Amino acid sequence: MSELVAPQLVVNSRMIYFGWVPADPEAVAALVPDGLKPMANRRVFVNQYVVD
């Protein structure tokens, strides 16, 4: 598979997108990959989609 370059546009898909502020903010900060900075309140976003 070729390397995808941002931004991507997903069309004709079913999607769920939600976010929350975790009970343990430091646990979330520990999961953030090197080179990225977590949000100040450690809010988490999840985006999943299916393209038929």
Side-chain angles (χ1 to χ4, degrees):
M1 182 173 182
S2 63
E3 183 77 20
L4 298 177
V5 179
Q8 298 294 313
L9 176 63
V10 178
V11 296
N12 298 324
S13 66
R14 293 174 283 140
M15 181 172 62
I16 183 169
Y17 181 77
F18 62 94
W20 72 95
V21 176
D24 187 352
E26 295 313 310
V28 170
L31 297 173
V32 175
D34 291 339
L36 297 178
K37 180 181 174 187
M39 295 178 65
N41 66 354
R42 306 305 196 251
R43 179 172 287 176
V44 177
F45 294 95
V46 174
N47 182 2
Q48 294 181 317
Y49 60 91
V50 174
V51 178
D52 296 318

